[in-house]
Amino acid sequence: MHFISQELEDYIEQHSEKEPELLAALNKETYQKILLPRMLSGHFQGRVLSMLSKLICPVNILEIGTYTGYSALCLCEGMQENGQLHTIDIKEELIDFQRKHFDKSPWGKQIRQHLGEAVAIIPTLDVKFDLVFIDADKENYINYFELIVPKMNKGGIILSDNVLWSGKILEPLNPKDVSTKILLEYNKLLKEDPRVETVLLPIRDGLTVSRVL
């Protein structure tokens, strides 16, 4: 996941906006209590998500893959006062952990948690989205994209995380490695699909920004 030196990463964090106290506490508690804490967006990527959301000023946000709620709270920072964030995850054991931190934020009542498979939940959401963040199982990235595009407002932004997949996208493909195979197809799809324009940013493990045309 480290494509640049740790020293450069530290410098970048030091010269970016400070991590809000609420998120610093969530970060700390995730590392203390939850498995696989490296899945957390973290300070720098969180500030990137916050800045993008503030530039977009979304009314409706969709997040696929809640984990402990860090990225959801970052995305809420740019949400309009009448906005709503829908976040989907399959891990029931994290629901209460997420809600505890959501309710400590100014956006607790605007965050709707959905438990279950995103491919089943997305079609039930009767909402047009301005901003979407995909950060869940890689095998379904293409399925998520196809479900989401018709639900996007024109000019809406789709963010896709982990698209560099720790550099595996450059390595010889193992036929049994489904995640890498799908990500290679997904990255090609975002580049060529006429419904979006895309830029892939080398932020953390790769973050794609796709604008719906």
Side-chain angles (χ1 to χ4, degrees):
M1 290 250 286
H2 292 281
F3 296 109
I4 61 174
S5 70
Q6 187 62 55
E7 290 79 10
L8 270 176
E9 287 193 4
D10 293 342
Y11 183 89
I12 289 167
E13 285 195 8
Q14 292 162 9
H15 291 80
S16 297
E17 285 295 309
K18 185 179 178 181
E19 184 179 40
E21 289 184 10
L22 173 67
L23 291 173
L26 172 52
N27 193 334
K28 182 178 180 180
E29 190 172 354
T30 297
Y31 272 82
Q32 288 174 336
K33 299 179 179 179
I34 308 298
L35 290 174
L36 302 175
R38 61 174 281 180
M39 290 173 59
L40 195 84
S41 290
H43 176 190
F44 174 57
Q45 185 175 3
R47 292 305 85 205
V48 172
L49 295 177
S50 170
M51 182 67 76
L52 289 171
S53 184
K54 288 169 182 172
L55 291 170
I56 297 162
C57 295
V59 175
N60 291 307
I61 305 171
L62 172 63
E63 177 185 53
I64 305 172
T66 315
Y67 191 47
T68 56
Y70 190 101
S71 53
L73 291 172
C74 294
L75 295 168
C76 282
E77 292 180 32
M79 184 170 60
Q80 295 187 32
E81 287 186 8
N82 63 332
Q84 196 168 61
L85 180 140
H86 295 261
T87 185
I88 306 171
D89 206 285
I90 60 171
K91 295 184 178 178
E92 186 174 2
E93 65 272 19
L94 291 179
I95 290 289
D96 292 340
F97 185 97
Q98 298 159 5
R99 177 47 61 185
K100 179 179 72 172
H101 290 278
F102 290 160
D103 287 344
K104 290 179 181 178
S105 79
W107 311 285
K109 294 182 180 179
Q110 295 168 268
I111 300 174
R112 290 193 56 191
Q113 295 164 283
H114 301 270
L115 178 63
E117 298 286 347
V119 288
I121 292 170
I122 294 169
T124 70
L125 301 177
D126 189 20
V127 182
K128 282 284 190 177
F129 294 103
D130 306 297
L131 176 59
V132 173
F133 182 42
I134 305 174
D135 186 18
D137 57 310
K138 312 313 162 194
E139 292 88 343
N140 271 308
Y141 266 36
I142 294 173
N143 295 328
Y144 296 148
F145 179 77
E146 295 296 350
L147 288 170
I148 287 164
V149 171
K151 291 182 174 290
M152 297 294 297
N153 284 317
K154 186 176 180 180
I157 299 295
I158 301 171
L159 305 173
S160 308
D161 201 14
N162 305 118
V163 291
L164 294 180
W165 208 222
S166 299
K168 290 182 182 179
I169 42 83
L170 293 179
E171 299 172 359
L173 181 64
N174 181 337
K176 296 181 180 180
D177 186 352
V178 178
S179 294
T180 302
K181 179 177 182 293
I182 294 296
L183 280 173
L184 287 167
E185 295 174 4
Y186 183 69
N187 291 339
K188 185 173 186 290
L189 170 64
L190 293 186
K191 174 65 171 63
E192 298 177 354
D193 195 307
R195 297 172 293 178
V196 296
E197 58 180 350
T198 292
V199 60
L200 198 165
L201 304 176
I203 292 173
R204 209 159 169 257
D205 196 24
L207 181 71
T208 299
V209 181
S210 302
R211 177 176 173 268
V212 177
L213 302 175

